[in-house]
Amino acid sequence: MPFPARGPLVGRYGERTPLGDTLKGVRVVTRGGGQVVSPHEGTVVFAGPFRGYGNLLIIDHGGGYHTLLAGLGRIDGVVGQRLAAGEPVGIMPDVVGGGDGSPTLYVELRRKGQPINPLPWLTASKGNASG
């Protein structure tokens, strides 16, 4: 599966956050306005704002696997839409508050409702996420 966006990883599955939580996915710093793509074929089952996640897209890949993509500036997928791997699904915001202002995409892979480490499933190029 390709990474859904280009940029360096700044948080890995299982790492502690500054707030003491454990990451259940990975965080990728992207460029403002960067494109986000579906990491694998599937069907959009949720698209819109969701609690502390901002704009969230959930893709059902079948077999009990789902990908959550959070932090998008714009979602280009709609519930029920079939996606191909690598198909554009959204755009990152230009800037965000806090830190250096770089937008960050949160990627979580779930199997049967439980978060699993997405890194073995995602391909990387020279230490950067690629999409």
Side-chain angles (χ1 to χ4, degrees), residues 3-10 27-31 125 127-131:
F3 264 86
R6 294 183 183 269
L9 288 175
V10 294
R27 295 175 53 227
V28 180
V29 172
T30 70
R31 67 177 172 79
S125 173
N128 284 338
S130 60

Side-chain angles (χ1 to χ4, degrees), residues 27-33 53-55 70-74 91-106:
R27 295 175 53 227
V28 180
V29 172
T30 70
R31 67 177 172 79
Y53 287 91
N55 282 330
L72 296 127
R74 184 182 83 212
I91 301 291
M92 293 301 292
D94 286 327
V95 294
V96 296
D100 66 359
S102 297
T104 302
L105 180 69
Y106 176 74

Side-chain angles (χ1 to χ4, degrees), residues 2-6 28 35-39 67 69 105 107 122 129-131:
F3 264 86
R6 294 183 183 269
V28 180
Q35 186 175 67
V36 179
V37 300
S38 176
T67 298
L69 303 172
L105 180 69
V107 182
L122 299 169
S130 60

Side-chain angles (χ1 to χ4, degrees), residues 34-123:
Q35 186 175 67
V36 179
V37 300
S38 176
H40 190 69
E41 66 183 38
T43 302
V44 176
V45 294
F46 183 87
F50 187 78
R51 291 184 245 183
Y53 287 91
N55 282 330
L56 174 68
L57 185 74
I58 301 176
I59 304 166
D60 180 352
H61 302 294
Y65 289 92
H66 293 82
T67 298
L68 286 70
L69 303 172
L72 296 127
R74 184 182 83 212
I75 297 174
D76 293 332
V78 296
V79 173
Q81 180 180 353
R82 287 283 305 150
L83 300 170
E87 185 171 343
V89 294
I91 301 291
M92 293 301 292
D94 286 327
V95 294
V96 296
D100 66 359
S102 297
T104 302
L105 180 69
Y106 176 74
V107 182
E108 186 174 303
L109 179 62
R110 292 186 177 186
R111 181 174 178 257
K112 297 182 180 176
Q114 297 300 311
I116 62 172
N117 187 355
L119 289 178
W121 298 87
L122 299 169
T123 57

